Amino acid sequence: MRRFSIAVVATVTLGTVLSSVPAHAGGGNGGRGLAHCTAGTCHFDVPPGTYDVRVTLGGKAASGTSVSGEARRSLLPETAVPAGERVTRSFTVNVRTPEGEPTGPEGTPGLDLRIGGTAPALAGISVTRARHSRQIFLVGDSTVCDQPGDPYSGWGQQLPQYLREGVSVANYADSGESTVSYLGNPRLWATVRPLIRPGDAVLVQLAHNDKTTDEATYRANLESLVAGVRERGGQPVLVTPIVRRWFSPDGTLNNGTALLVNGLGVDHPAVIRSVAAARDVPLIDLTAKTKALVESLGVEGSKALYLTNEARDNTHTSVRGATAYAALVRDELVTLHLVPKGKVRVG
Protein backbone atom coordinates (compact mmCIF):
# COMPACT_ATOMS: atom_id res chain seq x y z
CA MET A 1 0.00 0.00 0.00
CA ARG A 2 1.28 3.44 -0.92
CA ARG A 3 2.47 6.28 1.30
CA PHE A 4 0.40 9.42 1.12
CA SER A 5 1.65 13.00 0.77
CA ILE A 6 2.01 15.27 3.75
CA ALA A 7 -0.83 17.70 4.35
CA VAL A 8 -0.48 21.11 5.95
CA VAL A 9 -1.51 20.99 9.60
CA ALA A 10 -3.61 23.94 10.72
CA THR A 11 -2.72 25.50 14.06
CA VAL A 12 -5.02 27.09 16.59
CA THR A 13 -4.33 30.52 18.06
CA LEU A 14 -4.58 30.36 21.83
CA GLY A 15 -4.71 34.11 22.41
CA THR A 16 -4.28 35.45 25.91
CA VAL A 17 -4.21 32.00 27.54
CA LEU A 18 -0.66 31.42 26.31
CA SER A 19 0.61 34.92 26.93
CA SER A 20 -0.82 35.67 30.35
CA VAL A 21 0.25 32.61 32.36
CA PRO A 22 3.88 32.11 33.49
CA ALA A 23 5.74 29.05 32.21
CA HIS A 24 5.85 25.90 34.29
CA ALA A 25 9.25 24.62 35.30
CA GLY A 26 10.43 21.66 33.29
CA GLY A 27 12.09 19.65 36.03
CA GLY A 28 15.26 17.97 34.77
CA ASN A 29 15.09 19.89 31.48
CA GLY A 30 15.17 23.23 33.27
CA GLY A 31 12.28 25.63 32.74
CA ARG A 32 10.46 24.42 29.68
CA GLY A 33 7.02 26.02 29.69
CA LEU A 34 4.78 28.37 27.78
CA ALA A 35 7.76 30.34 26.50
CA HIS A 36 8.13 27.43 24.06
CA CYS A 37 4.60 27.87 22.69
CA THR A 38 3.22 30.16 20.04
CA ALA A 39 0.18 30.13 17.76
CA GLY A 40 -1.02 26.76 19.00
CA THR A 41 2.34 24.98 18.65
CA CYS A 42 4.90 24.14 21.34
CA HIS A 43 8.46 23.20 20.40
CA PHE A 44 11.01 21.66 22.77
CA ASP A 45 14.59 21.28 21.61
CA VAL A 46 15.24 17.81 23.05
CA PRO A 47 17.24 14.88 21.63
CA PRO A 48 15.59 11.59 20.65
CA GLY A 49 14.25 9.72 23.66
CA THR A 50 11.14 9.27 25.76
CA TYR A 51 9.58 12.25 27.55
CA ASP A 52 6.82 12.88 30.06
CA VAL A 53 4.61 15.84 29.16
CA ARG A 54 2.38 17.52 31.73
CA VAL A 55 -0.18 20.09 30.65
CA THR A 56 -2.43 22.34 32.72
CA LEU A 57 -5.66 23.15 30.93
CA GLY A 58 -8.36 25.75 31.51
CA GLY A 59 -9.04 29.45 31.53
CA LYS A 60 -11.63 32.11 32.34
CA ALA A 61 -14.12 30.61 29.89
CA ALA A 62 -15.19 27.00 29.45
CA SER A 63 -12.67 25.18 27.27
CA GLY A 64 -12.02 22.00 25.33
CA THR A 65 -8.38 21.17 24.59
CA SER A 66 -6.63 18.30 22.81
CA VAL A 67 -2.93 17.67 22.14
CA SER A 68 -1.31 16.05 19.13
CA GLY A 69 2.33 15.93 18.19
CA GLU A 70 5.20 14.82 16.02
CA ALA A 71 3.84 12.94 12.98
CA ARG A 72 0.14 13.70 13.58
CA ARG A 73 -0.03 11.45 16.65
CA SER A 74 -3.02 11.91 18.96
CA LEU A 75 -1.52 12.30 22.42
CA LEU A 76 -4.37 13.65 24.55
CA PRO A 77 -8.07 13.49 23.66
CA GLU A 78 -10.17 16.64 23.93
CA THR A 79 -10.54 17.50 27.59
CA ALA A 80 -13.37 19.76 28.76
CA VAL A 81 -12.72 22.17 31.63
CA PRO A 82 -15.42 24.40 33.20
CA ALA A 83 -14.95 28.18 33.23
CA GLY A 84 -12.47 29.38 35.84
CA GLU A 85 -11.09 25.92 36.62
CA ARG A 86 -7.80 24.10 35.90
CA VAL A 87 -7.02 20.44 35.34
CA THR A 88 -3.68 18.71 34.82
CA ARG A 89 -3.13 15.85 32.40
CA SER A 90 0.05 13.97 31.54
CA PHE A 91 1.29 11.55 28.92
CA THR A 92 4.55 10.05 27.69
CA VAL A 93 5.78 10.56 24.14
CA ASN A 94 8.46 8.90 22.02
CA VAL A 95 10.73 11.30 20.13
CA ARG A 96 12.73 9.77 17.29
CA THR A 97 14.20 10.34 13.84
CA PRO A 98 12.46 9.88 11.45
CA GLU A 99 9.58 11.12 13.59
CA GLY A 100 6.97 9.18 11.61
CA GLU A 101 7.36 6.23 9.28
CA PRO A 102 10.87 4.71 9.45
CA THR A 103 11.42 5.03 5.69
CA GLY A 104 9.77 8.46 5.50
CA PRO A 105 11.20 11.98 5.89
CA GLU A 106 13.13 12.82 9.04
CA GLY A 107 10.76 15.57 10.13
CA THR A 108 11.80 18.34 12.50
CA PRO A 109 14.30 17.83 15.35
CA GLY A 110 13.01 17.90 18.91
CA LEU A 111 9.46 17.54 20.22
CA ASP A 112 6.63 19.41 18.53
CA LEU A 113 3.18 19.52 20.12
CA ARG A 114 0.03 21.02 18.64
CA ILE A 115 -2.75 22.38 20.82
CA GLY A 116 -6.22 21.84 19.37
CA GLY A 117 -9.81 21.24 20.39
CA THR A 118 -13.09 23.12 20.14
CA ALA A 119 -11.95 25.85 22.56
CA PRO A 120 -8.28 25.33 23.43
CA ALA A 121 -6.88 26.73 26.66
CA LEU A 122 -3.34 25.79 27.65
CA ALA A 123 -2.38 27.29 31.02
CA GLY A 124 0.94 25.52 31.53
CA ILE A 125 3.22 22.82 30.13
CA SER A 126 6.35 20.96 31.20
CA VAL A 127 8.50 18.36 29.47
CA THR A 128 10.89 16.09 31.35
CA ARG A 129 12.84 13.02 30.34
CA ALA A 130 10.94 9.88 31.31
CA ARG A 131 12.76 7.77 33.88
CA HIS A 132 10.36 4.88 34.40
CA SER A 133 8.38 4.25 31.24
CA ARG A 134 7.25 1.17 29.40
CA GLN A 135 7.43 1.18 25.63
CA ILE A 136 4.93 -0.38 23.25
CA PHE A 137 6.60 -0.97 19.90
CA LEU A 138 4.43 -1.30 16.80
CA VAL A 139 5.58 -3.34 13.81
CA GLY A 140 3.13 -3.06 10.95
CA ASP A 141 2.00 -1.56 7.66
CA SER A 142 0.06 1.51 6.49
CA THR A 143 -3.05 0.55 8.47
CA VAL A 144 -0.96 0.92 11.66
CA CYS A 145 1.60 3.62 10.87
CA ASP A 146 1.79 7.33 11.61
CA GLN A 147 0.22 8.46 8.34
CA PRO A 148 1.75 11.80 7.22
CA GLY A 149 -1.31 13.21 5.48
CA ASP A 150 -4.96 13.89 6.27
CA PRO A 151 -7.49 12.24 5.98
CA TYR A 152 -5.49 9.03 6.45
CA SER A 153 -4.69 7.66 9.89
CA GLY A 154 -3.30 4.38 11.18
CA TRP A 155 -4.60 2.91 14.43
CA GLY A 156 -1.12 3.15 15.91
CA GLN A 157 -1.28 6.92 15.35
CA GLN A 158 -4.36 7.12 17.57
CA LEU A 159 -3.27 4.67 20.29
CA PRO A 160 -1.16 7.14 22.37
CA GLN A 161 -4.21 9.20 23.39
CA TYR A 162 -5.50 6.18 25.33
CA LEU A 163 -2.34 5.81 27.44
CA ARG A 164 -1.37 7.75 30.53
CA GLU A 165 2.05 8.88 31.69
CA GLY A 166 4.45 5.96 32.04
CA VAL A 167 3.53 4.14 28.83
CA SER A 168 4.58 5.34 25.39
CA VAL A 169 4.09 4.14 21.83
CA ALA A 170 7.05 3.74 19.48
CA ASN A 171 5.32 3.31 16.14
CA TYR A 172 7.70 1.68 13.66
CA ALA A 173 4.96 0.61 11.27
CA ASP A 174 5.70 1.55 7.67
CA SER A 175 3.56 1.83 4.55
CA GLY A 176 3.73 -0.98 2.04
CA GLU A 177 5.58 -3.47 4.21
CA SER A 178 5.09 -7.24 4.26
CA THR A 179 6.72 -9.72 6.63
CA VAL A 180 9.35 -10.25 3.91
CA SER A 181 10.21 -6.58 3.40
CA TYR A 182 10.04 -5.66 7.09
CA LEU A 183 12.61 -8.31 7.98
CA GLY A 184 14.78 -7.46 4.98
CA ASN A 185 14.97 -3.65 5.20
CA PRO A 186 17.79 -2.48 7.53
CA ARG A 187 15.75 0.63 8.43
CA LEU A 188 12.99 -1.56 9.82
CA TRP A 189 13.48 -4.74 11.87
CA ALA A 190 17.26 -4.37 12.14
CA THR A 191 16.67 -0.89 13.59
CA VAL A 192 13.77 -1.78 15.90
CA ARG A 193 15.12 -4.98 17.43
CA PRO A 194 18.15 -3.42 19.25
CA LEU A 195 15.84 -0.81 20.83
CA ILE A 196 13.67 -3.39 22.61
CA ARG A 197 14.22 -3.51 26.37
CA PRO A 198 13.19 -6.25 28.80
CA GLY A 199 9.48 -5.91 29.50
CA ASP A 200 8.65 -3.89 26.40
CA ALA A 201 5.66 -5.11 24.41
CA VAL A 202 6.07 -5.47 20.64
CA LEU A 203 2.83 -5.64 18.65
CA VAL A 204 3.19 -7.18 15.18
CA GLN A 205 0.48 -6.68 12.55
CA LEU A 206 1.76 -7.57 9.09
CA ALA A 207 -0.48 -9.18 6.46
CA HIS A 208 -2.00 -6.66 4.06
CA ASN A 209 1.06 -6.65 1.79
CA ASP A 210 1.93 -10.34 1.97
CA LYS A 211 -0.08 -10.83 -1.20
CA THR A 212 2.42 -13.20 -2.81
CA THR A 213 3.94 -14.74 0.33
CA ASP A 214 3.39 -18.48 0.61
CA GLU A 215 2.17 -19.94 3.88
CA ALA A 216 5.44 -21.57 4.92
CA THR A 217 7.37 -18.33 4.40
CA TYR A 218 4.72 -16.24 6.14
CA ARG A 219 4.70 -18.54 9.14
CA ALA A 220 8.50 -18.61 9.32
CA ASN A 221 8.67 -14.81 9.15
CA LEU A 222 6.21 -14.42 12.04
CA GLU A 223 8.20 -16.95 14.08
CA SER A 224 11.41 -15.04 13.32
CA LEU A 225 9.87 -11.79 14.59
CA VAL A 226 8.63 -13.52 17.75
CA ALA A 227 12.03 -15.05 18.41
CA GLY A 228 13.79 -11.73 17.85
CA VAL A 229 11.59 -9.97 20.41
CA ARG A 230 12.10 -12.69 22.98
CA GLU A 231 15.85 -12.67 22.51
CA ARG A 232 15.80 -9.03 23.61
CA GLY A 233 13.64 -9.78 26.65
CA GLY A 234 10.55 -8.20 25.17
CA GLN A 235 6.99 -9.49 25.03
CA PRO A 236 5.84 -10.30 21.49
CA VAL A 237 2.16 -9.84 20.72
CA LEU A 238 0.72 -11.05 17.42
CA VAL A 239 -2.11 -8.96 15.98
CA THR A 240 -4.38 -10.17 13.20
CA PRO A 241 -4.97 -7.49 10.52
CA ILE A 242 -7.88 -5.09 10.42
CA VAL A 243 -10.52 -6.13 7.90
CA ARG A 244 -11.06 -4.55 4.55
CA ARG A 245 -14.51 -3.02 4.21
CA TRP A 246 -15.64 -5.41 1.50
CA PHE A 247 -19.19 -6.68 1.96
CA SER A 248 -20.63 -9.91 0.60
CA PRO A 249 -24.18 -9.85 -0.82
CA ASP A 250 -25.51 -11.17 2.50
CA GLY A 251 -24.25 -8.08 4.36
CA THR A 252 -21.31 -9.82 6.01
CA LEU A 253 -17.56 -9.70 5.48
CA ASN A 254 -17.37 -13.44 4.92
CA ASN A 255 -15.09 -13.32 1.90
CA GLY A 256 -11.36 -13.60 1.24
CA THR A 257 -10.87 -9.96 0.29
CA ALA A 258 -12.29 -8.63 3.55
CA LEU A 259 -10.63 -11.29 5.70
CA LEU A 260 -7.14 -11.07 4.19
CA VAL A 261 -6.81 -14.34 2.29
CA ASN A 262 -4.14 -13.77 -0.37
CA GLY A 263 -4.01 -14.95 -3.97
CA LEU A 264 -2.21 -18.13 -2.97
CA GLY A 265 -5.01 -19.03 -0.59
CA VAL A 266 -3.04 -18.11 2.52
CA ASP A 267 -5.48 -17.18 5.30
CA HIS A 268 -3.34 -14.63 7.12
CA PRO A 269 -5.44 -14.31 10.29
CA ALA A 270 -5.63 -18.10 10.61
CA VAL A 271 -1.86 -18.45 10.29
CA ILE A 272 -1.31 -15.72 12.88
CA ARG A 273 -3.66 -17.45 15.31
CA SER A 274 -1.86 -20.73 14.71
CA VAL A 275 1.59 -19.27 15.33
CA ALA A 276 0.36 -17.52 18.48
CA ALA A 277 -1.01 -20.79 19.85
CA ALA A 278 2.04 -22.85 18.88
CA ARG A 279 4.57 -20.35 20.27
CA ASP A 280 2.53 -19.32 23.33
CA VAL A 281 2.33 -15.70 22.18
CA PRO A 282 -0.43 -13.31 23.31
CA LEU A 283 -2.90 -12.66 20.49
CA ILE A 284 -5.01 -9.63 19.65
CA ASP A 285 -7.58 -10.86 17.16
CA LEU A 286 -8.18 -7.51 15.52
CA THR A 287 -9.62 -9.19 12.44
CA ALA A 288 -12.48 -10.65 14.46
CA LYS A 289 -13.05 -7.45 16.42
CA THR A 290 -13.00 -5.10 13.44
CA LYS A 291 -15.21 -7.51 11.48
CA ALA A 292 -17.82 -7.44 14.24
CA LEU A 293 -17.74 -3.64 14.41
CA VAL A 294 -17.94 -3.10 10.64
CA GLU A 295 -20.78 -5.60 10.25
CA SER A 296 -22.68 -4.03 13.15
CA LEU A 297 -22.53 -0.63 11.42
CA GLY A 298 -23.60 -2.05 8.08
CA VAL A 299 -22.79 -1.06 4.52
CA GLU A 300 -23.53 2.64 4.95
CA GLY A 301 -22.58 3.24 8.57
CA SER A 302 -19.17 1.61 8.20
CA LYS A 303 -18.10 4.00 5.44
CA ALA A 304 -17.10 6.56 8.08
CA LEU A 305 -14.47 4.18 9.48
CA TYR A 306 -12.66 4.00 6.16
CA LEU A 307 -11.94 6.42 3.33
CA THR A 308 -14.73 5.07 1.17
CA ASN A 309 -16.26 8.47 0.44
CA GLU A 310 -13.03 10.46 0.34
CA ALA A 311 -10.87 8.14 -1.78
CA ARG A 312 -12.91 5.04 -2.60
CA ASP A 313 -10.53 3.30 -0.23
CA ASN A 314 -11.90 0.42 1.83
CA THR A 315 -8.56 -0.63 3.30
CA HIS A 316 -7.20 2.50 4.98
CA THR A 317 -8.97 4.13 7.90
CA SER A 318 -10.11 7.64 8.62
CA VAL A 319 -9.27 9.32 11.93
CA ARG A 320 -12.62 8.07 13.21
CA GLY A 321 -11.91 4.51 12.15
CA ALA A 322 -8.33 4.50 13.40
CA THR A 323 -9.49 5.89 16.75
CA ALA A 324 -12.16 3.19 17.08
CA TYR A 325 -9.68 0.45 16.21
CA ALA A 326 -7.07 1.87 18.60
CA ALA A 327 -9.67 1.62 21.37
CA LEU A 328 -10.07 -2.07 20.58
CA VAL A 329 -6.31 -2.53 20.90
CA ARG A 330 -6.27 -0.61 24.18
CA ASP A 331 -8.92 -2.89 25.63
CA GLU A 332 -6.95 -5.98 24.61
CA LEU A 333 -3.74 -4.61 26.12
CA VAL A 334 -5.54 -4.38 29.45
CA THR A 335 -7.20 -7.80 29.10
CA LEU A 336 -3.82 -9.40 28.33
CA HIS A 337 -2.27 -7.59 31.34
CA LEU A 338 0.25 -5.88 29.08
CA VAL A 339 -0.79 -2.44 30.35
CA PRO A 340 -2.24 -1.85 33.84
CA LYS A 341 -5.85 -0.65 33.81
CA GLY A 342 -4.80 2.49 35.66
CA LYS A 343 -2.51 3.44 32.81
CA VAL A 344 -5.23 3.72 30.15
CA ARG A 345 -7.85 6.34 29.37
CA VAL A 346 -11.37 5.15 28.73
CA GLY A 347 -13.86 6.94 26.52
Side-chain angles (χ1 to χ4, degrees), residues 20 29 71 113 118 131 165 193 215 240 317 340:
S20 63
N29 286 322
L113 301 173
T118 55
R131 296 185 178 183
E165 181 180 323
R193 187 176 173 277
E215 183 170 338
T240 60
T317 48

Side-chain angles (χ1 to χ4, degrees), residues 250-266:
D250 63 358
T252 71
L253 301 183
N254 295 327
N255 61 78
T257 299
L259 299 180
L260 282 296
V261 179
N262 75 8
L264 301 178
V266 179

Side-chain angles (χ1 to χ4, degrees), residues 219-288:
R219 182 181 296 271
N221 288 344
L222 292 175
E223 291 174 342
S224 179
L225 289 163
V226 166
V229 174
R230 284 176 166 166
E231 287 166 3
R232 293 291 301 171
Q235 173 63 71
V237 182
L238 291 177
V239 183
T240 60
I242 68 169
V243 293
R244 296 189 182 101
R245 185 193 160 276
W246 194 267
F247 281 90
S248 297
D250 63 358
T252 71
L253 301 183
N254 295 327
N255 61 78
T257 299
L259 299 180
L260 282 296
V261 179
N262 75 8
L264 301 178
V266 179
D267 185 332
H268 292 105
V271 176
I272 295 168
R273 295 176 190 121
S274 174
V275 172
R279 299 297 178 182
D280 193 26
V281 179
L283 174 73
I284 296 178
D285 198 342
L286 204 51
T287 304

Side-chain angles (χ1 to χ4, degrees), residues 124-202:
I125 184 169
S126 67
V127 174
T128 57
R129 185 177 287 276
R131 296 185 178 183
H132 305 288
S133 66
R134 187 177 187 190
Q135 201 103 284
I136 298 174
F137 287 90
L138 303 182
V139 170
D141 53 36
S142 58
T143 66
V144 184
C145 76
D146 288 347
Q147 285 281 1
D150 186 66
Y152 291 84
S153 181
W155 62 255
Q157 202 164 21
Q158 300 300 324
L159 184 60
Q161 67 182 299
Y162 289 122
L163 302 173
R164 299 181 187 275
E165 181 180 323
V167 184
S168 66
V169 175
N171 191 352
Y172 282 86
D174 197 71
S175 291
E177 307 301 342
S178 65
T179 57
V180 176
S181 63
Y182 204 96
L183 283 165
N185 190 329
R187 288 181 291 179
L188 299 173
W189 185 235
T191 296
V192 175
R193 187 176 173 277
L195 300 175
I196 300 169
R197 304 169 304 182
D200 286 341
V202 184

Side-chain angles (χ1 to χ4, degrees), residues 22-347:
H24 277 200
N29 286 322
R32 299 187 181 278
L34 295 178
H36 294 263
C37 303
T38 181
T41 300
C42 302
H43 175 77
F44 298 89
D45 188 17
V46 296
T50 305
Y51 295 87
D52 292 332
V53 179
R54 179 165 295 186
V55 293
T56 301
L57 308 176
K60 292 181 179 180
S63 60
T65 310
S66 62
V67 182
S68 61
E70 296 297 88
R72 300 179 62 239
R73 300 179 218 159
S74 295
L75 300 171
L76 184 72
E78 180 158 337
T79 302
V81 182
E85 296 187 15
R86 298 282 193 274
V87 300
T88 299
R89 296 289 184 268
S90 56
F91 53 87
T92 301
V93 60
N94 171 255
V95 177
R96 61 183 184 272
T97 303
E99 67 181 19
E101 296 178 88
T103 64
E106 289 194 358
T108 56
L111 171 61
D112 289 291
L113 301 173
R114 287 171 286 280
I115 313 303
T118 55
L122 178 67
I125 184 169
S126 67
V127 174
T128 57
R129 185 177 287 276
R131 296 185 178 183
H132 305 288
S133 66
R134 187 177 187 190
Q135 201 103 284
I136 298 174
F137 287 90
L138 303 182
V139 170
D141 53 36
S142 58
T143 66
V144 184
C145 76
D146 288 347
Q147 285 281 1
D150 186 66
Y152 291 84
S153 181
W155 62 255
Q157 202 164 21
Q158 300 300 324
L159 184 60
Q161 67 182 299
Y162 289 122
L163 302 173
R164 299 181 187 275
E165 181 180 323
V167 184
S168 66
V169 175
N171 191 352
Y172 282 86
D174 197 71
S175 291
E177 307 301 342
S178 65
T179 57
V180 176
S181 63
Y182 204 96
L183 283 165
N185 190 329
R187 288 181 291 179
L188 299 173
W189 185 235
T191 296
V192 175
R193 187 176 173 277
L195 300 175
I196 300 169
R197 304 169 304 182
D200 286 341
V202 184
L203 277 58
V204 178
Q205 187 217 278
L206 288 167
H208 278 274
N209 300 300
D210 281 278
K211 298 174 183 177
T212 59
T213 309
D214 63 79
E215 183 170 338
T217 301
Y218 186 64
R219 182 181 296 271
N221 288 344
L222 292 175
E223 291 174 342
S224 179
L225 289 163
V226 166
V229 174
R230 284 176 166 166
E231 287 166 3
R232 293 291 301 171
Q235 173 63 71
V237 182
L238 291 177
V239 183
T240 60
I242 68 169
V243 293
R244 296 189 182 101
R245 185 193 160 276
W246 194 267
F247 281 90
S248 297
D250 63 358
T252 71
L253 301 183
N254 295 327
N255 61 78
T257 299
L259 299 180
L260 282 296
V261 179
N262 75 8
L264 301 178
V266 179
D267 185 332
H268 292 105
V271 176
I272 295 168
R273 295 176 190 121
S274 174
V275 172
R279 299 297 178 182
D280 193 26
V281 179
L283 174 73
I284 296 178
D285 198 342
L286 204 51
T287 304
K289 292 187 175 298
T290 55
K291 179 179 187 289
L293 178 56
V294 170
E295 288 180 343
S296 73
L297 293 172
V299 174
E300 289 301 316
S302 62
K303 288 180 179 179
L305 300 180
Y306 291 82
L307 296 170
T308 306
N309 294 327
E310 298 87 343
R312 297 183 180 179
D313 187 337
N314 292 300
T315 296
H316 297 94
T317 48
S318 62
V319 170
R320 179 175 173 180
T323 302
Y325 290 175
L328 297 175
V329 174
R330 170 205 60 193
D331 293 345
E332 288 299 291
L333 290 172
V334 173
T335 298
L336 294 169
H337 304 291
L338 295 168
V339 176
K341 189 173 182 179
K343 288 293 185 180
V344 302
R345 291 188 176 90
V346 179

Side-chain angles (χ1 to χ4, degrees), residues 8-12 114-115:
V8 176
V9 179
T11 58
V12 180
R114 287 171 286 280
I115 313 303

